[in-house]
Amino acid sequence: MGSEPSRQGDVYSYGILLLEMFTGRRPTDEMFKDDFKLHSFLKMALPKRLVQIVDSSLLAREVEETTTRREQARNYISNRMHFFEIGLSCSEESPNQRMSTEDVPSKLQHIIIDYKAIGIHQRVRSTG
């Protein structure tokens, strides 16, 4: 918007990148016009319609023979909801409302710790 580069702009770009990665949509898609943007598209879908907007190629990687497609989609979404939340927080319209660049790494670290704990729990459950 013609202003100088800033950390708020960097974190905004990171948020949009996360949203692009998980939805498979670009902010320049034809559907995003006027005030309707990738951020608002995803925000409207939270949490009930996320299954419909997640990139289907990502869901295809999660397919297991033991569960239905719908269950897989729900599991995928719930396991990655934190990424959507970070993406939305980073891409808020107002720079003052965005997650700080200092908070992003710690949030991501918490996600990693949670995933490792879930993985350990699932392995114990499946062997026990």
Side-chain angles (χ1 to χ4, degrees), residues 35-82:
D35 287 336
F36 189 61
K37 299 178 173 125
L38 179 59
H39 175 90
S40 54
F41 173 68
L42 192 60
K43 199 167 187 171
M44 287 181 354
L46 276 174
K48 296 183 180 186
R49 292 185 34 229
L50 277 178
V51 172
Q52 298 165 350
I53 65 167
V54 167
D55 186 349
S56 60
S57 68
L58 293 175
L59 291 176
R61 294 180 194 165
E62 301 291 319
V63 173
E64 295 176 16
E65 295 178 18
T66 58
T67 58
T68 67
R69 180 93 169 138
R70 181 173 227 127
E71 288 175 61
Q72 292 164 10
R74 269 194 230 117
N75 290 339
Y76 178 86
I77 298 297
S78 65
N79 290 338
R80 282 138 182 97
M81 189 66 174
H82 299 292

Short mmCIF file of all heavy atoms in Angstrom, two decimals, residues 35-82:
data_model
loop_
_atom_site.label_atom_id
_atom_site.label_comp_id
_atom_site.label_asym_id
_atom_site.label_seq_id
_atom_site.Cartn_x
_atom_site.Cartn_y
_atom_site.Cartn_z
N ASP A 35 -13.92 -6.52 -1.44
CA ASP A 35 -13.54 -6.77 -0.05
C ASP A 35 -13.50 -8.25 0.30
O ASP A 35 -13.19 -8.61 1.43
CB ASP A 35 -14.51 -6.06 0.89
CG ASP A 35 -14.29 -4.56 0.90
OD1 ASP A 35 -13.17 -4.12 0.57
OD2 ASP A 35 -15.24 -3.83 1.23
N PHE A 36 -13.83 -9.12 -0.65
CA PHE A 36 -13.80 -10.55 -0.40
C PHE A 36 -12.41 -11.07 -0.74
O PHE A 36 -11.97 -11.02 -1.88
CB PHE A 36 -14.87 -11.28 -1.22
CG PHE A 36 -15.02 -12.72 -0.86
CD1 PHE A 36 -15.39 -13.09 0.42
CD2 PHE A 36 -14.77 -13.71 -1.80
CE1 PHE A 36 -15.53 -14.43 0.76
CE2 PHE A 36 -14.91 -15.05 -1.46
CZ PHE A 36 -15.30 -15.41 -0.18
N LYS A 37 -11.69 -11.54 0.29
CA LYS A 37 -10.30 -11.95 0.14
C LYS A 37 -10.11 -13.36 0.68
O LYS A 37 -11.00 -13.93 1.31
CB LYS A 37 -9.40 -10.97 0.90
CG LYS A 37 -9.50 -9.57 0.37
CD LYS A 37 -8.65 -8.62 1.17
CE LYS A 37 -8.66 -7.29 0.48
NZ LYS A 37 -9.04 -6.18 1.19
N LEU A 38 -8.94 -13.91 0.44
CA LEU A 38 -8.61 -15.24 0.94
C LEU A 38 -8.84 -15.32 2.45
O LEU A 38 -9.40 -16.28 2.96
CB LEU A 38 -7.16 -15.59 0.58
CG LEU A 38 -6.63 -16.95 1.04
CD1 LEU A 38 -7.47 -18.09 0.46
CD2 LEU A 38 -5.18 -17.11 0.64
N HIS A 39 -8.41 -14.31 3.17
CA HIS A 39 -8.58 -14.27 4.62
C HIS A 39 -10.06 -14.37 4.99
O HIS A 39 -10.44 -15.20 5.82
CB HIS A 39 -7.97 -12.97 5.18
CG HIS A 39 -8.19 -12.78 6.64
ND1 HIS A 39 -7.29 -13.25 7.58
CD2 HIS A 39 -9.19 -12.21 7.33
CE1 HIS A 39 -7.74 -12.96 8.79
NE2 HIS A 39 -8.89 -12.32 8.66
N SER A 40 -10.90 -13.56 4.39
CA SER A 40 -12.33 -13.56 4.74
C SER A 40 -13.00 -14.86 4.29
O SER A 40 -13.90 -15.36 4.96
CB SER A 40 -13.05 -12.34 4.17
OG SER A 40 -12.83 -12.22 2.79
N PHE A 41 -12.55 -15.42 3.17
CA PHE A 41 -13.07 -16.69 2.67
C PHE A 41 -12.86 -17.79 3.72
O PHE A 41 -13.77 -18.54 4.05
CB PHE A 41 -12.35 -17.04 1.36
CG PHE A 41 -12.64 -18.39 0.80
CD1 PHE A 41 -13.89 -18.70 0.30
CD2 PHE A 41 -11.64 -19.35 0.74
CE1 PHE A 41 -14.15 -19.96 -0.25
CE2 PHE A 41 -11.89 -20.60 0.20
CZ PHE A 41 -13.15 -20.90 -0.30
N LEU A 42 -11.65 -17.85 4.26
CA LEU A 42 -11.35 -18.88 5.24
C LEU A 42 -12.04 -18.58 6.57
O LEU A 42 -12.55 -19.48 7.23
CB LEU A 42 -9.84 -18.99 5.44
CG LEU A 42 -9.39 -20.20 6.22
CD1 LEU A 42 -9.80 -21.49 5.53
CD2 LEU A 42 -7.90 -20.18 6.41
N LYS A 43 -12.05 -17.34 6.95
CA LYS A 43 -12.67 -16.96 8.23
C LYS A 43 -14.15 -17.32 8.26
O LYS A 43 -14.67 -17.77 9.27
CB LYS A 43 -12.48 -15.46 8.47
CG LYS A 43 -12.65 -15.06 9.90
CD LYS A 43 -12.16 -13.66 10.12
CE LYS A 43 -12.19 -13.33 11.59
NZ LYS A 43 -11.54 -12.08 11.88
N MET A 44 -14.83 -17.17 7.11
CA MET A 44 -16.25 -17.53 7.03
C MET A 44 -16.44 -19.04 7.16
O MET A 44 -17.48 -19.49 7.61
CB MET A 44 -16.85 -17.05 5.70
CG MET A 44 -17.05 -15.57 5.63
SD MET A 44 -17.79 -14.94 4.10
CE MET A 44 -17.91 -16.30 3.02
N ALA A 45 -15.46 -19.81 6.77
CA ALA A 45 -15.57 -21.26 6.79
C ALA A 45 -15.27 -21.87 8.16
O ALA A 45 -15.61 -23.02 8.40
CB ALA A 45 -14.65 -21.86 5.75
N LEU A 46 -14.61 -21.11 9.01
CA LEU A 46 -14.25 -21.65 10.32
C LEU A 46 -15.46 -21.87 11.20
O LEU A 46 -16.33 -21.01 11.24
CB LEU A 46 -13.31 -20.69 11.05
CG LEU A 46 -11.84 -20.79 10.72
CD1 LEU A 46 -11.08 -19.68 11.41
CD2 LEU A 46 -11.26 -22.12 11.08
N PRO A 47 -15.55 -22.91 11.93
CA PRO A 47 -14.81 -24.15 11.78
C PRO A 47 -15.58 -25.19 10.97
O PRO A 47 -15.05 -26.20 10.59
CB PRO A 47 -14.63 -24.61 13.22
CG PRO A 47 -15.89 -24.18 13.90
CD PRO A 47 -16.26 -22.86 13.20
N LYS A 48 -16.85 -24.93 10.70
CA LYS A 48 -17.72 -25.98 10.17
C LYS A 48 -17.52 -26.32 8.69
O LYS A 48 -17.75 -27.45 8.29
CB LYS A 48 -19.18 -25.61 10.40
CG LYS A 48 -19.52 -25.55 11.87
CD LYS A 48 -20.96 -25.25 12.10
CE LYS A 48 -21.22 -25.20 13.60
NZ LYS A 48 -22.58 -25.07 13.93
N ARG A 49 -17.08 -25.39 7.88
CA ARG A 49 -16.99 -25.64 6.45
C ARG A 49 -15.56 -25.83 5.95
O ARG A 49 -15.32 -25.84 4.75
CB ARG A 49 -17.66 -24.50 5.68
CG ARG A 49 -19.16 -24.47 5.89
CD ARG A 49 -19.90 -23.44 5.06
NE ARG A 49 -19.33 -23.21 3.76
CZ ARG A 49 -19.05 -22.00 3.27
NH1 ARG A 49 -19.30 -20.93 3.96
NH2 ARG A 49 -18.52 -21.86 2.08
N LEU A 50 -14.64 -26.00 6.85
CA LEU A 50 -13.24 -26.15 6.44
C LEU A 50 -13.02 -27.37 5.56
O LEU A 50 -12.21 -27.33 4.65
CB LEU A 50 -12.33 -26.22 7.66
CG LEU A 50 -11.95 -24.87 8.25
CD1 LEU A 50 -11.09 -25.05 9.48
CD2 LEU A 50 -11.23 -24.02 7.23
N VAL A 51 -13.74 -28.44 5.80
CA VAL A 51 -13.58 -29.64 4.99
C VAL A 51 -13.82 -29.33 3.52
O VAL A 51 -13.18 -29.87 2.64
CB VAL A 51 -14.53 -30.75 5.48
CG1 VAL A 51 -14.54 -31.94 4.53
CG2 VAL A 51 -14.15 -31.20 6.88
N GLN A 52 -14.72 -28.41 3.25
CA GLN A 52 -15.08 -28.07 1.88
C GLN A 52 -14.04 -27.19 1.20
O GLN A 52 -13.99 -27.14 -0.02
CB GLN A 52 -16.43 -27.36 1.85
CG GLN A 52 -17.55 -28.22 2.37
CD GLN A 52 -18.80 -27.41 2.67
OE1 GLN A 52 -18.77 -26.18 2.68
NE2 GLN A 52 -19.89 -28.10 2.94
N ILE A 53 -13.20 -26.51 1.94
CA ILE A 53 -12.27 -25.57 1.30
C ILE A 53 -10.80 -25.97 1.40
O ILE A 53 -9.97 -25.35 0.78
CB ILE A 53 -12.44 -24.14 1.84
CG1 ILE A 53 -12.07 -24.06 3.31
CG2 ILE A 53 -13.82 -23.62 1.58
CD1 ILE A 53 -11.92 -22.66 3.80
N VAL A 54 -10.50 -27.01 2.16
CA VAL A 54 -9.11 -27.48 2.23
C VAL A 54 -8.73 -28.05 0.88
O VAL A 54 -9.53 -28.69 0.20
CB VAL A 54 -8.95 -28.54 3.34
CG1 VAL A 54 -7.63 -29.26 3.24
CG2 VAL A 54 -9.08 -27.89 4.69
N ASP A 55 -7.49 -27.81 0.48
CA ASP A 55 -6.97 -28.34 -0.78
C ASP A 55 -7.15 -29.85 -0.82
O ASP A 55 -6.63 -30.57 0.02
CB ASP A 55 -5.48 -27.97 -0.89
CG ASP A 55 -4.87 -28.35 -2.21
OD1 ASP A 55 -5.51 -29.08 -3.00
OD2 ASP A 55 -3.74 -27.91 -2.48
N SER A 56 -7.90 -30.33 -1.80
CA SER A 56 -8.22 -31.76 -1.89
C SER A 56 -6.97 -32.61 -2.10
O SER A 56 -6.95 -33.78 -1.70
CB SER A 56 -9.24 -32.01 -2.99
OG SER A 56 -8.72 -31.59 -4.24
N SER A 57 -5.92 -32.07 -2.69
CA SER A 57 -4.71 -32.86 -2.87
C SER A 57 -4.04 -33.14 -1.52
O SER A 57 -3.39 -34.17 -1.35
CB SER A 57 -3.73 -32.17 -3.82
OG SER A 57 -3.22 -31.00 -3.24
N LEU A 58 -4.22 -32.26 -0.55
CA LEU A 58 -3.69 -32.51 0.79
C LEU A 58 -4.50 -33.60 1.49
O LEU A 58 -3.94 -34.45 2.18
CB LEU A 58 -3.71 -31.24 1.64
CG LEU A 58 -2.78 -30.12 1.19
CD1 LEU A 58 -3.02 -28.88 2.05
CD2 LEU A 58 -1.34 -30.55 1.26
N LEU A 59 -5.81 -33.56 1.29
CA LEU A 59 -6.66 -34.58 1.90
C LEU A 59 -6.37 -35.95 1.31
O LEU A 59 -6.39 -36.95 2.01
CB LEU A 59 -8.14 -34.23 1.71
CG LEU A 59 -8.65 -33.04 2.48
CD1 LEU A 59 -10.10 -32.75 2.11
CD2 LEU A 59 -8.53 -33.26 3.97
N ALA A 60 -6.07 -36.01 0.02
CA ALA A 60 -5.81 -37.29 -0.64
C ALA A 60 -4.60 -37.98 -0.02
O ALA A 60 -4.55 -39.21 0.05
CB ALA A 60 -5.59 -37.07 -2.13
N ARG A 61 -3.65 -37.23 0.47
CA ARG A 61 -2.46 -37.82 1.09
C ARG A 61 -2.78 -38.47 2.42
O ARG A 61 -2.02 -39.30 2.92
CB ARG A 61 -1.40 -36.75 1.31
CG ARG A 61 -0.86 -36.20 0.02
CD ARG A 61 0.17 -35.14 0.30
NE ARG A 61 0.42 -34.39 -0.93
CZ ARG A 61 1.04 -33.25 -0.97
NH1 ARG A 61 1.50 -32.70 0.14
NH2 ARG A 61 1.23 -32.62 -2.11
N GLU A 62 -3.89 -38.10 3.03
CA GLU A 62 -4.25 -38.60 4.36
C GLU A 62 -5.13 -39.85 4.30
O GLU A 62 -5.52 -40.37 5.32
CB GLU A 62 -5.00 -37.50 5.13
CG GLU A 62 -4.22 -36.23 5.31
CD GLU A 62 -3.05 -36.41 6.25
OE1 GLU A 62 -3.20 -37.10 7.27
OE2 GLU A 62 -1.97 -35.87 5.96
N VAL A 63 -5.44 -40.30 3.11
CA VAL A 63 -6.39 -41.40 2.95
C VAL A 63 -5.85 -42.69 3.58
O VAL A 63 -4.74 -43.08 3.34
CB VAL A 63 -6.71 -41.64 1.46
CG1 VAL A 63 -7.56 -42.89 1.28
CG2 VAL A 63 -7.41 -40.43 0.88
N GLU A 64 -6.69 -43.29 4.37
CA GLU A 64 -6.40 -44.60 4.95
C GLU A 64 -7.61 -45.49 4.65
O GLU A 64 -8.72 -45.02 4.57
CB GLU A 64 -6.21 -44.51 6.46
CG GLU A 64 -5.01 -43.70 6.87
CD GLU A 64 -4.92 -43.57 8.38
OE1 GLU A 64 -5.60 -44.34 9.10
OE2 GLU A 64 -4.17 -42.71 8.83
N GLU A 65 -7.38 -46.75 4.50
CA GLU A 65 -8.46 -47.67 4.15
C GLU A 65 -9.43 -47.90 5.31
O GLU A 65 -10.53 -48.37 5.09
CB GLU A 65 -7.88 -49.00 3.69
CG GLU A 65 -7.10 -48.87 2.40
CD GLU A 65 -6.47 -50.19 1.97
OE1 GLU A 65 -6.91 -51.24 2.46
OE2 GLU A 65 -5.57 -50.14 1.14
N THR A 66 -9.04 -47.57 6.52
CA THR A 66 -9.85 -47.90 7.68
C THR A 66 -10.93 -46.86 7.99
O THR A 66 -11.81 -47.13 8.78
CB THR A 66 -8.97 -48.04 8.92
OG1 THR A 66 -8.25 -46.82 9.11
CG2 THR A 66 -8.00 -49.21 8.76
N THR A 67 -10.87 -45.70 7.39
CA THR A 67 -11.86 -44.67 7.69
C THR A 67 -12.47 -44.13 6.40
O THR A 67 -11.92 -44.29 5.32
CB THR A 67 -11.24 -43.48 8.46
OG1 THR A 67 -10.18 -42.94 7.67
CG2 THR A 67 -10.70 -43.91 9.80
N THR A 68 -13.61 -43.49 6.54
CA THR A 68 -14.26 -42.92 5.37
C THR A 68 -13.60 -41.60 4.99
O THR A 68 -12.89 -41.00 5.80
CB THR A 68 -15.75 -42.64 5.65
OG1 THR A 68 -15.84 -41.60 6.63
CG2 THR A 68 -16.47 -43.89 6.12
N ARG A 69 -13.84 -41.17 3.78
CA ARG A 69 -13.27 -39.91 3.29
C ARG A 69 -13.67 -38.74 4.19
O ARG A 69 -12.86 -37.89 4.50
CB ARG A 69 -13.77 -39.69 1.86
CG ARG A 69 -13.28 -38.45 1.23
CD ARG A 69 -12.02 -38.75 0.47
NE ARG A 69 -11.69 -37.61 -0.35
CZ ARG A 69 -10.48 -37.16 -0.49
NH1 ARG A 69 -9.48 -37.76 0.09
NH2 ARG A 69 -10.22 -36.13 -1.24
N ARG A 70 -14.91 -38.71 4.60
CA ARG A 70 -15.40 -37.61 5.45
C ARG A 70 -14.68 -37.61 6.80
O ARG A 70 -14.28 -36.56 7.31
CB ARG A 70 -16.90 -37.71 5.62
CG ARG A 70 -17.47 -36.59 6.46
CD ARG A 70 -18.98 -36.61 6.46
NE ARG A 70 -19.38 -35.25 6.21
CZ ARG A 70 -20.20 -34.83 5.29
NH1 ARG A 70 -20.77 -35.67 4.50
NH2 ARG A 70 -20.47 -33.56 5.14
N GLU A 71 -14.51 -38.78 7.39
CA GLU A 71 -13.79 -38.87 8.67
C GLU A 71 -12.34 -38.43 8.50
O GLU A 71 -11.80 -37.74 9.36
CB GLU A 71 -13.81 -40.31 9.19
CG GLU A 71 -15.15 -40.77 9.71
CD GLU A 71 -15.11 -42.24 10.08
OE1 GLU A 71 -14.30 -42.60 10.97
OE2 GLU A 71 -15.84 -43.02 9.46
N GLN A 72 -11.73 -38.83 7.41
CA GLN A 72 -10.35 -38.44 7.15
C GLN A 72 -10.24 -36.93 7.03
O GLN A 72 -9.30 -36.33 7.56
CB GLN A 72 -9.85 -39.08 5.85
CG GLN A 72 -9.71 -40.58 5.96
CD GLN A 72 -9.59 -41.21 4.60
OE1 GLN A 72 -9.43 -40.52 3.60
NE2 GLN A 72 -9.67 -42.52 4.55
N ALA A 73 -11.17 -36.33 6.33
CA ALA A 73 -11.16 -34.88 6.16
C ALA A 73 -11.30 -34.20 7.52
O ALA A 73 -10.59 -33.25 7.82
CB ALA A 73 -12.26 -34.45 5.21
N ARG A 74 -12.23 -34.69 8.33
CA ARG A 74 -12.41 -34.10 9.66
C ARG A 74 -11.14 -34.23 10.50
O ARG A 74 -10.74 -33.29 11.17
CB ARG A 74 -13.58 -34.76 10.38
CG ARG A 74 -14.88 -34.06 10.13
CD ARG A 74 -15.94 -34.52 11.10
NE ARG A 74 -17.10 -34.85 10.28
CZ ARG A 74 -17.64 -36.04 10.16
NH1 ARG A 74 -17.20 -37.06 10.85
NH2 ARG A 74 -18.67 -36.23 9.37
N ASN A 75 -10.53 -35.41 10.47
CA ASN A 75 -9.30 -35.62 11.23
C ASN A 75 -8.19 -34.70 10.75
O ASN A 75 -7.46 -34.12 11.54
CB ASN A 75 -8.84 -37.08 11.14
CG ASN A 75 -9.74 -38.01 11.89
OD1 ASN A 75 -10.47 -37.60 12.79
ND2 ASN A 75 -9.73 -39.27 11.51
N TYR A 76 -8.06 -34.59 9.44
CA TYR A 76 -7.03 -33.73 8.86
C TYR A 76 -7.23 -32.29 9.32
O TYR A 76 -6.29 -31.63 9.75
CB TYR A 76 -7.09 -33.81 7.34
CG TYR A 76 -6.09 -32.90 6.67
CD1 TYR A 76 -4.79 -33.33 6.45
CD2 TYR A 76 -6.44 -31.62 6.28
CE1 TYR A 76 -3.85 -32.50 5.86
CE2 TYR A 76 -5.51 -30.79 5.69
CZ TYR A 76 -4.23 -31.23 5.48
OH TYR A 76 -3.32 -30.40 4.89
N ILE A 77 -8.47 -31.82 9.22
CA ILE A 77 -8.77 -30.44 9.60
C ILE A 77 -8.51 -30.22 11.08
O ILE A 77 -7.85 -29.25 11.46
CB ILE A 77 -10.25 -30.09 9.29
CG1 ILE A 77 -10.53 -30.20 7.80
CG2 ILE A 77 -10.60 -28.71 9.81
CD1 ILE A 77 -9.78 -29.24 6.95
N SER A 78 -9.01 -31.10 11.93
CA SER A 78 -8.84 -30.87 13.36
C SER A 78 -7.36 -30.92 13.76
O SER A 78 -6.93 -30.16 14.61
CB SER A 78 -9.66 -31.86 14.17
OG SER A 78 -9.18 -33.17 13.98
N ASN A 79 -6.59 -31.78 13.10
CA ASN A 79 -5.16 -31.86 13.42
C ASN A 79 -4.39 -30.65 12.93
O ASN A 79 -3.28 -30.40 13.39
CB ASN A 79 -4.55 -33.13 12.84
CG ASN A 79 -5.03 -34.37 13.54
OD1 ASN A 79 -5.48 -34.30 14.68
ND2 ASN A 79 -4.94 -35.49 12.87
N ARG A 80 -4.92 -29.91 11.98
CA ARG A 80 -4.20 -28.78 11.42
C ARG A 80 -4.89 -27.44 11.66
O ARG A 80 -4.51 -26.43 11.12
CB ARG A 80 -3.99 -28.99 9.93
CG ARG A 80 -2.85 -29.97 9.70
CD ARG A 80 -3.19 -30.93 8.61
NE ARG A 80 -2.11 -31.91 8.43
CZ ARG A 80 -2.14 -33.11 8.97
NH1 ARG A 80 -3.12 -33.47 9.75
NH2 ARG A 80 -1.16 -33.97 8.74
N MET A 81 -5.88 -27.44 12.50
CA MET A 81 -6.64 -26.23 12.79
C MET A 81 -5.73 -25.11 13.30
O MET A 81 -5.94 -23.94 12.99
CB MET A 81 -7.72 -26.55 13.82
CG MET A 81 -8.68 -25.45 14.03
SD MET A 81 -9.62 -25.20 12.52
CE MET A 81 -10.76 -24.02 13.08
N HIS A 82 -4.70 -25.46 14.03
CA HIS A 82 -3.78 -24.45 14.57
C HIS A 82 -3.10 -23.68 13.44
O HIS A 82 -2.86 -22.48 13.57
CB HIS A 82 -2.73 -25.09 15.47
CG HIS A 82 -3.31 -25.77 16.66
ND1 HIS A 82 -3.93 -25.09 17.68
CD2 HIS A 82 -3.40 -27.09 16.99
CE1 HIS A 82 -4.35 -25.94 18.59
NE2 HIS A 82 -4.04 -27.16 18.20
#
